[in-house]
Amino acid sequence: MSLLSCIRALIAGSVLAIYSRATAAASAIYDAVPYDTILAEPDVYLTGQRALVIKGATLGWDAVNRLSPDYLLNLTAAFDDTNIADWYPESMMRANVHPYLVKAESGLRSLAQAGRDGQPAYLQWRLRLDQAERVLSSMQPFPAFLRSISPDAWMAACLPSREARNNLMMVIAWYMLVVGVPGGGMFLHPDNYDSGTWQAQLVGTKEWTLCDPGRLRPGESLRSAGHYDTFAPGFTIGQPSASAPGFLHHACARIVAQPGDILVYPSRWWHQTRIPPQEELPPSHPNAGISIGLAGRWVNRVNYKEIAAAVEAKCRDQGPDISLQYKGAAPNPTPEVCEAVRSQCLKAWTRQLSAATGAER
């Protein structure tokens, strides 16, 4: 066993012992699994139906050692004026807060200043194809299980041009860097396009609430996005409270993602995030007070038909293309992408995914 595998095993073993004692109720909602276990039994865990916390998955990545706000600032220099990010100077803990579309460089500098001033702030950087390729080059060695859920194989089969691949990636926000300071985060919501999602925690920590809508009991509802703040006082998950809705205790789990963790959750699951005080690094460290994660979508055998239907609906009922007015905004799918998803991608997904096997958890 390599030294890195030994480190992963030790970390995962100690963390899993804590999880098993402290989150017995949450364990029914997600599996905390060592990375080496995922490598050994991918078909058991990567079903698209279970939420996972994969421990130690990114410990060997170059990004974990090199990634910092300064690194990202240098990265922005390689791209043109369409290098745009969503900047939330007062975070996005409420559903009606809209972003400022700013150059990623400006957003990163503003985020660092917000952290120094003690102000909550959050930045989401939707990555174009060329940007994703550049960022992913630092995510080495790329975990084998992520290669298995990477879009590269089916994109090559159904989207031959780079322009088409880039368009679909931007329409769905396929890859996104999420950077924030304490107090930053996002309101309770499900993702668009019915996609499964994974998020690698690269720098700092992030708190999550994951809610499985399939566990709601008769008469219970998550209401609209942002209606509940699961981090509000009195909303402690796992401890009944007169001020908190009952579903928090049987349909939701609280997770603190540590550097090296990758969260994977199914389509249509609701989630809320918050960045807690970052105390593990001294103030002089380049990453002090910063949380950085990489999020990605996932087409799997559970959701591929729903994703195809969602793209088709967008193709049929397109509103104004706001990306023509606001650089960096999500564009409308192009006719080439609409036809490819309709006639080629769905066939590729059906061929690759409908026959997939694996034990259900």
Side-chain angles (χ1 to χ4, degrees):
M1 180 181 290
S2 68
L3 177 59
L4 184 56
S5 295
C6 290
I7 293 173
R8 284 194 178 112
L10 288 172
I11 291 176
S14 62
V15 171
L16 290 179
I18 295 172
Y19 273 101
S20 64
R21 293 193 303 268
T23 60
S27 65
I29 295 176
Y30 69 93
D31 293 325
V33 186
Y35 172 54
D36 288 342
T37 300
I38 297 291
L39 293 182
E41 301 180 286
D43 287 342
V44 172
Y45 292 96
L46 297 176
T47 65
Q49 295 178 310
R50 292 286 295 170
L52 306 173
V53 180
I54 302 172
K55 309 302 299 183
T58 70
L59 291 180
W61 283 10
D62 293 341
V64 173
N65 301 315
R66 293 193 293 147
L67 202 61
S68 68
D70 286 343
Y71 179 91
L72 294 178
L73 282 170
N74 289 333
L75 188 64
T76 65
F79 304 113
D80 57 27
D81 286 345
T82 60
N83 183 42
I84 303 296
D86 296 339
W87 163 237
Y88 296 87
E90 297 179 358
S91 189
M92 54 188 308
M93 297 300 283
R94 292 180 290 109
N96 61 348
V97 174
H98 299 290
Y100 294 89
L101 292 173
V102 301
K103 290 185 179 180
E105 176 184 7
S106 173
L108 289 165
R109 294 188 186 280
S110 298
L111 183 77
Q113 184 61 51
R116 289 190 291 268
D117 293 342
Q119 299 296 320
Y122 207 57
L123 182 139
Q124 293 185 327
W125 181 4
R126 290 186 302 275
L127 300 177
R128 302 189 317 247
L129 176 59
D130 59 336
Q131 295 167 342
E133 290 170 341
R134 182 70 175 268
V135 169
L136 291 174
S137 69
S138 68
M139 311 299 178
Q140 299 297 330
F142 205 55
F145 92 92
L146 283 186
R147 286 196 296 271
S148 73
I149 64 178
S150 165
D152 293 346
W154 61 258
M155 278 194 174
C158 70
L159 295 170
S161 75
R162 286 182 61 85
E163 292 78 7
R165 296 183 196 183
N166 180 70
N167 177 254
L168 183 61
M169 287 178 64
M170 293 299 288
V171 167
I172 302 182
W174 202 274
Y175 289 116
M176 184 179 296
L177 274 170
V178 285
V179 190
V181 295
M186 188 170 183
F187 55 88
L188 186 67
H189 68 287
D191 286 331
N192 296 329
Y193 289 97
D194 292 335
S195 68
T197 305
W198 57 268
Q199 186 166 145
Q201 187 65 28
L202 302 173
V203 172
T205 60
K206 181 184 287 186
E207 296 175 331
W208 290 74
T209 298
L210 285 182
C211 297
D212 178 0
R215 292 176 179 267
L216 295 175
R217 295 172 180 172
E220 293 180 338
S221 172
L222 292 164
R223 308 286 292 273
S224 59
H227 180 84
Y228 292 111
D229 179 2
T230 65
F231 293 106
F235 274 51
T236 304
I237 292 175
Q239 298 179 9
S241 168
S243 62
F247 69 79
L248 284 176
H249 313 307
H250 53 261
C252 301
R254 179 66 50 76
I255 298 167
V256 179
Q258 304 289 339
D261 290 352
I262 296 181
L263 273 68
V264 181
Y265 52 89
S267 303
R268 295 178 293 280
W269 277 42
W270 289 55
H271 49 284
Q272 182 176 1
T273 61
R274 181 180 68 177
I275 298 171
Q278 305 290 300
E279 300 174 348
E280 71 278 5
L281 296 175
S284 59
H285 194 281
N287 288 336
I290 294 288
S291 171
I292 303 177
L294 175 68
R297 308 285 192 177
W298 179 23
V299 177
N300 55 59
R301 69 175 184 269
V302 174
N303 66 17
Y304 72 94
K305 292 181 181 178
E306 286 79 3
I307 293 176
V311 175
E312 176 64 22
K314 181 69 173 176
C315 290
R316 289 197 311 267
D317 186 22
Q318 295 192 21
D321 190 339
I322 62 173
S323 68
L324 300 177
Q325 182 177 0
Y326 302 104
K327 288 184 178 180
N332 287 344
T334 64
E336 178 186 4
V337 165
C338 292
E339 179 57 29
V341 171
R342 186 180 301 122
S343 62
Q344 299 299 324
C345 293
L346 184 56
K347 290 180 181 178
W349 294 337
T350 302
R351 183 172 59 253
Q352 295 176 19
L353 298 170
S354 64
T357 60
E360 301 298 340
R361 301 277 308 168

